[in-house]
Amino acid sequence: MNLRSVFAAAMLSASVSAYGEDSFKTGLAELAAGSFEKAAATLAEFVKKNPEHPSAAQAMCGSGQALSAMGRHAEALDFFEAALKRKSPRLRETPIRLSCAKCQLGVGRYSDAAQHAQEAIKVSSSPAEREVAYPMLISALCQDSRSKEAWLELKKAADTGELKPAVTVALARQVATDALKQGEANTAREAFSWQMENDHDLQGKQEAALGYAWAQAALASQPTEAAVALLEYVDTYPKAPGAARALLAAARKQIEADRSAEAIILLQRLAANYPDASETVDGLTLLIQIAQKNGDETLLQDTRAQLAREHTQSPAARGVIHLAIADAAKSKDEGTFASVSAVVFNSGDPQLVQQTLDRLSETAGHEVVLRFADAGLQRMIDPDQHRVTAAIIDWLFEHRQWSVITEATSKMPVEVLTHDAHQGTVIAESLQRLGSSKGAYDLFTRLAEGPEPTFVVLLRRSELAVQVGSVDEANQAIAAATTAAESSRDRQFVQIVAAQLAIRRADFDSSRKLLDSVVRSPAADQRLRGRAQWLLGETYFMQRDYSAAIDAYRRCETLFPESGWAAASLLQAGKAFEKMGNFRDAAVCYTSLLNKHANSPYAQLASRRLGWIGNEKTR
């Protein structure tokens, strides 16, 4: 019987005063109908207007019941405690105390809740009321960290048979669990033992046995004794949900006792018997730590590989995958190298692929990195692996490993290389970086023939067509790029390519007109305008008008110093001065380049030119 039933019986048994108001009756009717908001307001208003009415205490309890039903325990408690102080002959004390206990549990006043529940048990002879009071008392004592007292009260109720067996078992489980958390191992052991004997549910028995084992372990004077207690549970219930956790705990106790050999056996048993348990990841991590401490390379490598292969998604596994790959490469274990590498590739996770490459680069060396990358790129033929192979190609390109990309893809069908536009673009760029402009042009051409070529693909094809294609091919490529251009900036890029084609045809006037348009365009950024200004200098240099070339180069260095083309312009200006026999100003250009752009790829060339000028002066 629940508390509301107890209280309702008490309310109904109380006769309504002849002096009762209609609002009191209305409030009780609203409470009975479950209209708690209305009932609470109606009965509270009745009390407010009739504080000395004989039915006021009943109204207080009714309002408290309505508020409690809505979870407003603090407000309800005020009404119940006020009613309790009235000592009304119309209401019995026990139901009010039980209601106070319930509300105090709801607001976290566990000690007060326990006191009210104890008083209710003390003064009531009603089996129904005592059946409600005992669970409240035991729950309050447990939450007040008084699990030992809770167990004594529960045993008293169990001995007198005042609680149903199922309720007693559930309360024993609560007491035992809380006692274990509170460090009351003796109480926990006794309560779990009682539960094991009286719980008719197999799962309940298993849970109690696990709790008993934990209590025994907590009471053990030596770590090895604790390990024995936990292993007894594992041996008795090997398929129970808590078996893996107990086995891991037993292994930890053996480690605590400095018995690593025994711990290794238990951890290997955990991995073998409970491969899907979350504890197995922790067990393998522990095994790695033991192997490292003992210097056992074989165990270390085997465990890393097992963790990587079987628990790939765990953070622990992702932390050792690169080590397992490096181990296999070092020991020339081809099978493990392939299987652990496959774990990374089959994950389909580009982030994991790049993270593995980063870590291999830091710890395993260049050769292992390239071997791993090459193994991944061989999967390019599988469309499902393109996210992985694209991640590898991006990493290699970023780290300037263009030859690895081109070598791995050199014998693959062009259809494979162009299946993914981004991937094909990076491969083509790698060919270009290695000086294979014709190969890059051919690949960009195939990409441009795809269903929806990007502007970048069309632009790069046009640039390479100017270098290695025929004039007609270059014109067609420039036209396609112009059509695909979506912004003024895009069109400025194409204009520069068109200017380069004009330079190729020795049409310098047309080239300069196009380049001057880019330099003056507000849509072009500084790098683009700097490039156009540098090319203007090149047109004059090729016509041997060195004075005009120097002027154009100096404008680039002055107007676009952050463009990236300033260093190239200083180098070319120096060369133009040399052509004019003005070695002093040439040296000034080279020195300025070295001072302002020391990290530029042109710095080494400037240094050589300075050395040559110095040698000329001493001859």
Side-chain angles (χ1 to χ4, degrees):
M1 193 177 221
N2 63 32
L3 177 57
R4 186 190 283 177
S5 300
V6 169
F7 206 99
M11 291 285 285
L12 290 172
S13 65
S15 59
V16 178
S17 167
Y19 302 102
E21 299 290 341
D22 288 342
S23 61
F24 173 66
K25 295 177 182 178
T26 300
L28 291 183
E30 289 169 341
L31 180 63
S35 298
F36 301 125
E37 190 79 47
K38 290 182 179 179
T42 301
L43 294 170
E45 185 66 18
F46 173 79
V47 173
K48 182 179 179 181
K49 290 182 177 179
N50 306 280
E52 302 302 325
H53 193 283
S55 297
Q58 289 171 274
M60 290 176 186
C61 289
S63 185
Q65 280 287 294
L67 290 166
S68 179
M70 292 187 289
R72 294 157 62 180
H73 299 301
E75 298 170 67
L77 186 58
D78 290 340
F79 281 102
F80 286 129
E81 288 182 335
L84 194 61
K85 290 177 182 177
R86 290 291 182 100
K87 299 187 181 297
S88 169
R90 296 176 180 274
L91 286 174
R92 293 177 56 250
E93 176 184 342
T94 302
I96 303 177
R97 285 197 177 276
L98 292 176
S99 295
C100 284
K102 176 185 176 183
C103 290
Q104 284 163 335
L105 280 169
V107 297
R109 290 165 55 180
Y110 304 124
S111 181
D112 292 339
Q115 186 176 349
H116 276 298
Q118 282 175 323
E119 284 295 321
I121 292 169
K122 183 178 178 181
V123 301
S124 177
S125 59
S126 164
E129 291 173 346
R130 293 169 71 85
E131 188 178 355
V132 171
Y134 267 113
M136 283 189 181
L137 171 60
I138 289 158
S139 180
L141 290 171
C142 284
Q143 294 186 77
D144 199 35
S145 298
R146 295 154 64 186
S147 54
K148 188 172 183 179
E149 292 177 58
W151 176 235
L152 293 174
E153 292 290 349
L154 181 57
K155 284 202 297 183
K156 189 192 303 180
D159 290 343
T160 57
E162 294 188 74
L163 295 175
K164 294 176 182 177
V167 174
T168 310
V169 167
L171 290 172
R173 182 186 304 117
Q174 180 186 353
V175 172
T177 302
D178 288 342
L180 199 57
K181 292 176 182 176
Q182 294 162 17
E184 287 283 349
N186 277 309
T187 298
R189 179 173 62 177
E190 191 174 342
F192 277 128
S193 177
W194 188 93
Q195 183 192 345
M196 281 193 292
E197 293 176 7
N198 293 276
D199 198 334
H200 298 299
D201 178 64
L202 177 59
Q203 183 176 346
K205 282 184 179 294
Q206 289 178 349
E207 291 174 354
L210 177 59
Y212 182 85
W214 283 110
Q216 285 282 79
L219 291 168
S221 59
Q222 299 293 330
T224 50
E225 293 177 17
V228 169
L230 293 164
L231 286 173
E232 284 179 3
Y233 168 78
V234 177
D235 292 338
T236 305
Y237 299 105
K239 295 184 179 180
R245 186 156 59 98
L247 190 53
L248 177 61
R252 290 187 188 278
K253 289 296 181 182
Q254 295 289 18
I255 293 171
E256 188 181 332
D258 201 22
R259 300 177 65 182
S260 62
E262 288 78 1
I264 289 171
I265 292 171
L266 295 180
L267 292 171
Q268 288 177 330
R269 175 181 170 187
L270 171 66
N273 295 350
Y274 307 98
D276 298 327
S278 60
E279 291 81 4
T280 298
V281 172
D282 291 336
L284 291 171
T285 303
L286 265 180
L287 205 51
I288 287 171
Q289 293 172 3
I290 293 172
Q292 288 173 326
K293 182 180 178 181
N294 295 347
D296 189 337
E297 283 296 318
T298 301
L299 177 62
L300 179 62
Q301 293 182 18
D302 290 348
T303 309
R304 280 174 176 165
Q306 184 178 2
L307 180 59
R309 281 194 299 251
E310 298 176 8
H311 303 276
T312 313
Q313 298 305 317
S314 71
R318 294 193 168 211
V320 301
I321 281 177
H322 68 289
L323 296 173
I325 292 170
D327 288 339
K330 182 180 177 182
S331 62
K332 294 182 170 47
D333 185 345
E334 302 298 329
T336 300
F337 185 91
S339 63
V340 179
S341 296
V343 164
V344 180
F345 304 140
N346 292 337
S347 71
D349 182 353
Q351 186 176 357
L352 177 60
V353 173
Q354 296 205 336
Q355 181 188 74
T356 303
L357 283 163
D358 284 336
R359 291 181 173 178
L360 284 172
S361 179
E362 293 166 3
T363 61
H366 186 68
E367 184 179 340
V368 177
V369 171
L370 299 188
R371 183 177 167 195
F372 172 79
D374 185 69
L377 292 182
Q378 299 311 311
R379 293 168 168 253
M380 194 182 297
I381 202 162
D382 180 358
D384 293 335
Q385 291 280 291
H386 280 174
R387 291 181 71 227
V388 167
T389 54
I392 296 172
I393 287 174
D394 285 346
W395 189 94
L396 291 170
F397 190 85
E398 181 184 344
H399 290 78
R400 307 172 67 87
Q401 299 296 323
W402 306 307
S403 62
V404 180
I405 298 173
T406 57
E407 287 173 18
T409 60
S410 61
K411 295 182 180 179
M412 290 185 181
V414 70
E415 293 79 10
V416 172
L417 303 183
T418 57
H419 179 83
D420 179 272
H422 171 75
Q423 191 165 261
T425 299
V426 178
I427 295 169
E429 292 288 357
S430 299
L431 288 166
Q432 170 68 8
R433 298 296 175 93
L434 292 171
S436 180
S437 297
K438 182 64 169 65
Y441 171 63
D442 290 343
L443 191 50
F444 273 122
T445 298
R446 287 298 296 263
L447 289 167
E449 292 169 352
E452 294 182 6
T454 64
F455 171 72
V456 171
V457 166
L458 295 173
L459 178 67
R460 292 294 287 129
R461 180 184 65 157
S462 67
E463 290 175 328
L464 289 164
V466 170
Q467 293 179 35
V468 299
S470 67
V471 171
D472 286 343
E473 287 173 332
N475 278 322
Q476 291 172 10
I478 290 170
T482 301
T483 302
E486 296 180 351
S487 66
S488 295
R489 186 172 182 272
D490 288 350
R491 286 187 284 275
Q492 303 301 327
F493 271 114
V494 181
Q495 273 189 252
I496 287 181
V497 179
Q500 289 175 311
L501 179 59
I503 291 172
R504 175 180 166 181
R505 299 197 317 266
D507 185 356
F508 296 110
D509 289 339
S510 296
S511 176
R512 281 194 280 268
K513 190 178 295 185
L514 289 165
L515 291 170
D516 190 60
S517 172
V518 175
V519 170
R520 296 174 184 278
S521 170
D525 57 28
Q526 185 170 116
R527 180 168 180 79
L528 200 57
R529 294 167 76 190
R531 180 182 175 187
Q533 184 63 49
W534 171 77
L535 277 170
L536 278 169
E538 292 289 278
T539 64
Y540 291 114
F541 193 97
M542 283 183 273
Q543 287 186 296
R544 300 182 182 182
D545 186 349
Y546 299 121
S547 180
I550 289 168
D551 183 59
Y553 291 137
R554 280 182 163 175
R555 284 175 62 81
C556 180
E557 200 270 335
T558 302
L559 297 176
F560 312 113
E562 304 299 325
S563 67
W565 292 97
S569 292
L570 281 169
L571 180 67
Q572 291 300 93
K575 290 181 180 179
F577 276 122
E578 286 187 47
K579 293 288 186 180
M580 296 171 67
N582 188 344
F583 297 110
R584 184 179 64 81
D585 284 342
V588 170
C589 289
Y590 298 142
T591 303
S592 180
L593 192 162
L594 291 170
N595 289 336
K596 295 179 181 179
H597 309 283
N599 296 322
S600 163
Y602 304 104
Q604 190 174 4
L605 292 172
S607 181
R608 288 177 185 171
R609 303 299 298 183
L610 269 176
W612 182 83
I613 290 173
N615 290 334
E616 282 294 300
K617 288 181 178 180
T618 59
R619 289 178 182 174

